Amino acid sequence: MKKVGIVGSREYTNKLKIKEFIYKLKEKFDDNVEIVSGGCKYGADKYAKKYAIEFDMNYVEFPPAHNSYNQHCILERENYGKRYAVWNYFDRNKQIAEYSDYLVAFIPDGVKSKGTMNTVSHAKTLNKKVVILD
């Protein structure tokens, strides 16, 4: 199964682009693809989750440790509900990069997305295929 990490800026609003991208993955790989996300309630993560579920695809997420556990979390329940710390986001970014076979980052032109670029950096260090789309 191909694990495709879809990450991006919280400011990303082109939901149609993400929808079409995920639909093409579904058409090409059917049940042999899994969408991986960080579970953010905004931007690219939000749309990755929405369309993966809408298209009845395999979907998992790595929310930061201070978030609550949910049915899509790939890690065990005890990894969540921790005290807030900014490094929880960076730990999550690394987990997404390690787990995914491929990483697709959606970043609008002119937006500096430190968190997304942190995930991209981890993926590149691991020699994963990375694509950045606007």
Side-chain angles (χ1 to χ4, degrees):
M1 180 174 306
K2 296 181 184 326
K3 296 179 253 179
V4 180
I6 297 181
V7 298
S9 168
R10 292 181 184 146
E11 297 175 38
Y12 196 85
T13 59
N14 190 346
K15 62 184 177 182
L16 183 59
K17 190 168 196 170
I18 294 177
K19 182 178 185 177
E20 289 173 349
F21 181 83
I22 291 174
Y23 185 75
K24 287 178 185 174
L25 288 174
K26 172 75 172 172
E27 281 186 315
K28 186 171 183 174
F29 301 109
D30 196 27
D31 288 336
N32 292 318
V33 66
E34 180 175 67
I35 304 299
V36 182
S37 170
C40 185
K41 296 178 185 177
Y42 310 102
D45 286 18
K46 172 185 174 180
Y47 300 124
K49 180 177 186 172
K50 174 181 174 36
Y51 296 118
I53 291 170
E54 184 177 305
F55 297 143
D56 195 30
M57 297 173 72
N58 298 306
Y59 173 79
V60 297
E61 65 186 35
F62 289 89
H66 55 263
N67 282 19
S68 299
Y69 175 85
N70 70 66
Q71 67 187 18
H72 303 292
C73 292
I74 189 80
L75 300 177
E76 298 295 324
R77 182 179 298 270
E78 60 267 8
N79 290 288
Y80 299 99
K82 308 285 186 201
R83 209 169 122 201
Y84 175 86
V86 72
W87 60 79
N88 291 340
Y89 290 105
F90 296 105
D91 291 344
R92 178 268 315 265
N93 296 344
K94 186 176 181 183
Q95 291 167 340
I96 293 169
E98 290 172 343
Y99 183 80
S100 300
D101 299 317
Y102 308 92
L103 188 72
V104 181
F106 289 89
I107 306 171
D109 280 337
V111 171
K112 292 186 178 184
S113 184
K114 292 180 186 176
T116 303
M117 292 312 295
N118 178 255
T119 311
V120 166
S121 176
H122 284 299
K124 286 182 175 181
T125 298
L126 296 165
N127 294 315
K128 307 279 177 112
K129 171 116 172 116
V130 175
V131 177
I132 299 175
L133 302 172
D134 63 0

